[in-house]
Amino acid sequence: MFARALAEAIGTFFLLVAVIGSGIMAESSTNDIALALLANALATGAALVVLITTLGPVSGAHFNPAVSLVMLLRGELRSSEMAVYIASQIGAGLLAVLVTHFMFAHSLLQFSTTSRTGLAQYGSEFLATFGLVFFILLGVRHNARAVPWIVGLYITGAYWFTSSTSFANPAVTIARSFTDTFAGIDPGHAPLFIVMQILGAIAAWLVAKPLTR
């Protein structure tokens, strides 16, 4: 369990470093929002491929409380294991925010002022998380070796085809509320993002059931 929790922590840590660090780098390098978003998406997708490929054999490479919840529902995690996974993911995500701020000489403790609210964005998070979990489940069932690429490519694309830029991850959402940078989300808007992510993940588990027997 220690090795699995450590793998989840390391993976989530580097995922958040990739998300926030590439956002800061992109924002400081160009005034073109589309170019900055492209850099942010590519860095995140590439990091996911590496992290899932290397850490997947240890912990399953969830890096996402919504994924861990679905694995509990599938009987692949016990509730105590899920609790350890989620604590590792959230804690590592918050640490990643501090380290990334330090790397870029930003104030360590920040609260985002970026507004991400409204029915369209909340619905977007439901769809983004539904797609992520749905394709993970089908990938695990039918082509497990391709899962790192499935996740990395899906998230890279979902940055662009969702209005919320596809957070699709409660731990990521919590961490991003503590950075007032390109990747941030106002802490007041994060709770409904998380609710929609959890609902999207559960819906994906239900829809995938007949396709993964």
Side-chain angles (χ1 to χ4, degrees), residues 52-65:
I52 297 170
T53 299
T54 55
L55 296 171
V58 182
S59 68
H62 300 179
F63 316 144
N64 186 334

Side-chain angles (χ1 to χ4, degrees), residues 13-194:
F13 175 87
F14 277 100
L15 171 59
L16 263 303
V17 170
V19 171
I20 298 171
S22 64
I24 294 172
M25 180 66 80
E27 194 172 39
S28 66
S29 301
T30 179
N31 292 321
D32 187 329
I33 299 298
L35 184 58
L37 183 62
L38 178 61
N40 200 201
L42 291 175
T44 303
L48 280 166
V49 173
V50 173
L51 295 171
I52 297 170
T53 299
T54 55
L55 296 171
V58 182
S59 68
H62 300 179
F63 316 144
N64 186 334
V67 173
S68 297
L69 172 62
V70 168
M71 295 308 166
L72 173 73
L73 296 174
R74 284 166 55 90
E76 297 181 18
L77 278 184
R78 296 192 296 270
S79 57
S80 59
E81 293 173 322
M82 183 189 73
V84 172
Y85 268 46
I86 292 175
S88 299
Q89 293 156 1
I90 293 174
L94 293 173
L95 178 61
V97 174
L98 297 176
V99 171
T100 307
H101 288 166
F102 174 78
M103 281 199 303
F104 287 92
H106 281 230
S107 299
L108 297 185
L109 184 60
Q110 303 176 19
F111 297 96
S112 178
T113 57
T114 301
S115 177
R116 298 181 189 266
T117 188
L119 185 60
Q121 293 220 37
Y122 296 138
S124 173
E125 277 304 292
F126 177 92
L127 180 64
T129 313
F130 177 94
L132 174 64
V133 173
F134 180 79
F135 293 118
I136 287 173
L137 293 176
L138 265 68
V140 168
R141 174 64 179 86
H142 300 297
N143 191 356
R145 295 182 66 182
V147 169
W149 288 97
I150 290 170
V151 175
L153 291 172
Y154 175 82
I155 290 297
T156 301
Y159 261 81
W160 287 89
F161 65 71
T162 61
S163 62
S164 62
T165 67
S166 187
F167 285 46
N169 183 329
V172 165
T173 303
I174 291 169
R176 289 172 67 167
S177 69
F178 289 94
T179 182
D180 195 22
T181 62
F182 185 80
I185 175 173
D186 188 305
H189 302 156
L192 271 178
F193 262 50
I194 292 169

